Amino acid sequence: MAKSKVLVVGGTGYVGRRIVKASLAQGHITYVLQRAEIGLDIDKLQMLLSFKQQGACLIEGSFSDHQSLVNAVKQVDVVICTISGVHFRSHNFLEQLKLVEAIKEAGNIKRFLPSEFGMDPARMGHALEPGRVTFDEKMIVRKAIEDAKIPFTYVSANCFAGYFVGNLSQIASLTPPKEKVCIYGDGNVKVVFMDEDDVATYTIKTIDDPRTLNKTLYLKPPENILSQRQIIDEWEKLKGKKLDKFNLSAEDLLASMKGMDYAGQVVVGHVYHIFYEGCLTNFEIREEGEEASDLYPEVQCTRMDAYLKRYL
């Protein structure tokens, strides 16, 4: 069977650029939407030109120009959207509703993968304010997709290692603490950590796979289901140095939201659900989903001990 042609929307972002790379690596004709909105952002433009050198096709389009989106969508079989939903960078999830309308009008798309790549929003109806906005908006987009009867796959990629492993899951930094580390609760709640390049590899694997049609793909390789304490222990082993540890109760974590800006409050709420509630691992995958490492055992996932070595 011929490989699907892919359009990546948000291709210059943290996830998007990895999706473009994985799509090309797996032999798909790959288009990247070049949005007029980039304006004078030279870094994004140069990244787009580098994609072109690697074999991708650039196609112009804008969320403010419906027909341009329809025209772009008509060139491909699969659309993958990776626009940002991170509050301390940009937050544009509902822009995808314009893309849904374009896909609906075009009528040719075999699979749409909206911008998800985190916790499964369908399991987060109880989430705390204000962080629940992330999940509520994802569910609004899902409803639009399903109401339009657009074939879909949702990718639940859990915790990106770049944000949660290199810093030993500390909120205020992206690099490992040198002396003291905060442990959430007892530090033993199991979490799923993923190398971002592996997220992209699995995502592209799924687009022509009938087993994932109209399902959620959960990225939960057993070797990457670890507690915060296990991550810290591995870092201490690599460094040959023990860190001073202090435990933060759920009550103290939530109390710390007072006085934080909006983006900080969103992050704290998500940390609570991940490290205290165990929302990434406290359920069984049922008929609504599939687990990526079961479907694609040929993918050699990056283990978190190897990931941590980058920070030595």
Side-chain angles (χ1 to χ4, degrees):
M1 188 176 69
K3 290 179 179 285
S4 288
K5 292 183 285 185
V6 178
L7 171 66
V8 182
V9 179
T12 60
Y14 187 67
V15 176
R17 62 180 180 261
R18 292 173 165 87
I19 296 287
V20 173
K21 179 182 174 184
S23 181
L24 291 168
Q26 293 181 43
H28 293 271
I29 296 173
T30 305
Y31 292 79
V32 183
L33 192 70
Q34 180 175 340
R35 290 189 276 165
E37 290 86 348
I38 68 170
L40 298 176
D41 190 330
I42 189 68
D43 291 330
K44 285 187 177 181
L45 176 61
Q46 289 185 342
M47 191 180 301
L48 287 167
L49 295 176
S50 76
F51 293 154
K52 192 174 179 182
Q53 289 179 319
Q54 295 165 47
C57 307
L58 303 184
I59 186 164
E60 293 186 357
S62 170
F63 282 116
S64 61
D65 181 350
H66 172 73
Q67 193 57 48
S68 74
L69 292 179
V70 174
N71 293 344
V73 164
K74 283 183 175 179
Q75 305 301 310
V76 299
D77 309 300
V78 172
V79 177
I80 304 174
C81 187
T82 62
I83 61 175
S84 176
V86 180
H87 281 82
F88 54 82
R89 299 178 72 174
S90 60
H91 184 84
N92 302 306
F93 278 143
L94 294 184
E95 287 283 274
Q96 293 179 99
L97 296 175
K98 298 172 184 176
L99 190 55
V100 170
E101 285 302 310
I103 291 170
K104 182 179 176 182
E105 181 174 326
N108 63 303
I109 292 302
K110 298 176 183 176
R111 196 83 61 100
F112 177 40
L113 282 68
S115 187
E116 296 233 351
F117 306 106
M119 297 175 250
D120 180 3
R123 299 182 180 277
M124 299 305 295
H126 64 291
L128 298 173
E129 295 282 6
R132 65 171 297 122
V133 65
T134 301
F135 314 116
D136 291 345
E137 290 186 358
K138 286 181 179 181
M139 292 305 293
I140 289 169
V141 174
R142 284 190 179 194
K143 184 177 187 304
I145 293 167
E146 293 170 29
D147 285 352
K149 295 182 168 48
I150 296 168
F152 64 84
T153 298
Y154 305 136
V155 178
S156 176
N158 301 299
C159 286
F160 292 157
Y163 283 109
F164 287 94
V165 174
N167 58 358
L168 311 186
S169 302
Q170 306 303 284
I171 288 176
S173 173
L174 291 175
T175 54
K178 290 181 168 53
E179 303 295 336
K180 187 184 292 187
V181 62
C182 174
I183 294 178
Y184 303 120
D186 63 10
N188 294 321
V189 171
K190 294 293 187 179
V191 178
V192 187
F193 301 101
M194 291 296 303
D195 180 293
E196 295 84 345
D197 291 334
D198 293 338
V199 171
T201 297
Y202 280 128
T203 298
I204 298 301
K205 286 274 185 186
T206 197
I207 61 178
D208 284 327
D209 189 343
R211 297 173 296 180
T212 58
L213 178 63
N214 296 336
K215 288 191 174 186
T216 298
L217 181 72
Y218 295 94
L219 276 52
K220 299 178 74 172
E223 62 271 26
N224 284 2
I225 300 176
L226 303 163
S227 68
Q228 186 194 11
R229 277 195 182 273
Q230 286 176 296
I231 294 290
I232 293 168
D233 289 346
E234 189 58 45
W235 177 247
E236 290 178 331
K237 193 187 308 176
L238 289 170
K239 285 291 283 185
K241 176 187 175 181
K242 291 288 185 182
L243 294 169
D244 291 333
K245 302 174 184 67
F246 66 97
N247 297 79
L248 184 67
S249 70
E251 294 74 19
D252 287 343
L253 174 81
L254 296 177
S256 73
M257 291 170 69
K258 196 171 291 184
M260 282 188 177
D261 62 15
Y262 184 84
Q265 292 180 40
V266 169
V267 170
V268 167
H270 292 182
V271 165
Y272 170 78
H273 292 300
I274 294 166
F275 291 98
Y276 294 85
E277 187 178 272
C279 68
L280 303 182
T281 56
N282 64 0
F283 63 92
E284 297 294 324
I285 298 171
R286 303 192 186 280
E287 66 278 355
E288 79 284 354
E290 299 286 349
E291 199 286 305
S293 64
D294 286 343
L295 293 185
Y296 314 113
E298 68 275 13
V299 176
Q300 298 298 307
C301 268
T302 302
R303 300 176 71 106
M304 292 304 103
D305 54 348
Y307 196 96
L308 280 168
K309 287 178 182 175
R310 304 174 188 184
Y311 296 83
L312 288 172

